[in-house]
Amino acid sequence: MDQRFTDDNPRGLYLLADLVNAVQDGTGATPAGLEAVVEAHGGPPLRLTETTAGEMREAAAAIAGILDLDDEDGAAEAINALLDQYPARPRLEHVPERRWSLRTTAPHDAQPARWLLSTAALALALWLSERGYCAWGRCAAPGCGRYFIDTGRRAPQRYCSTRCGTRVRVAAHRDRSR
């Protein structure tokens, strides 16, 4: 199990970033790929058809639109619109090997994309209200563009991983040396 899921998973936001990244890079855009991403994060078991997978990809695009925002007012407006359209039904759940966490539940007849957008609305609203700024973003490394959740306490995060940050710093060092 990925260590970040057992430590301080910020409001389930890693699910959102990983799902958007999987759709963006094509590795998880299939029904089975989307199911695997959700399952890896302890989400509900999904049985997606090509139609419901398409709806999930559309939901991921809507979430990416919010993750692209770095203006708190604009992000709050977009999140509130999601909360209005997809009201969250939060519940405390205990997932094996993890702490109790606040999760959204969907009615039994709800489509997976509705569950995802409801989850996203609650998670992003909580994260924005706790942090006070858009603590998420898109990697600034040339050629990357993956989304990340900023869990740092100091300067805002700019890269999705230490690998991307190091790659940019090494390239800048080489350019200065020339």
Side-chain angles (χ1 to χ4, degrees), residues 60-149:
I63 294 164
I66 294 173
L67 295 178
D68 280 329
L69 298 173
D70 60 4
D71 166 56
E72 292 83 17
D73 293 337
E77 187 176 313
I79 293 166
N80 281 335
L82 269 187
L83 285 168
D84 288 342
Q85 192 169 3
Y86 304 99
R89 295 179 44 202
R91 298 187 49 79
L92 285 170
E93 290 187 11
H94 189 252
V95 178
E97 300 180 32
R98 300 185 197 172
R99 295 182 276 183
W100 283 94
S101 60
L102 188 63
R103 293 177 172 230
T104 59
T105 60
H108 294 293
D109 59 346
Q111 293 297 316
R114 290 187 67 80
W115 164 80
L116 177 61
L117 290 166
S118 173
T119 297
L122 179 62
L124 291 166
L126 289 169
W127 196 239
L128 179 59
S129 68
E130 285 178 11
R131 300 299 289 238
Y133 62 95
C134 298
W136 54 71
R138 204 165 193 180
C139 187
C144 182
R146 292 182 58 81
Y147 291 94
F148 61 85
I149 304 303

Side-chain angles (χ1 to χ4, degrees), residues 144-165:
C144 182
R146 292 182 58 81
Y147 291 94
F148 61 85
I149 304 303
D150 184 352
T151 58
R153 299 281 184 236
R154 296 184 184 114
Q157 185 173 331
R158 297 187 51 221
Y159 305 105
C160 68
S161 65
T162 54
R163 180 178 176 214
C164 278

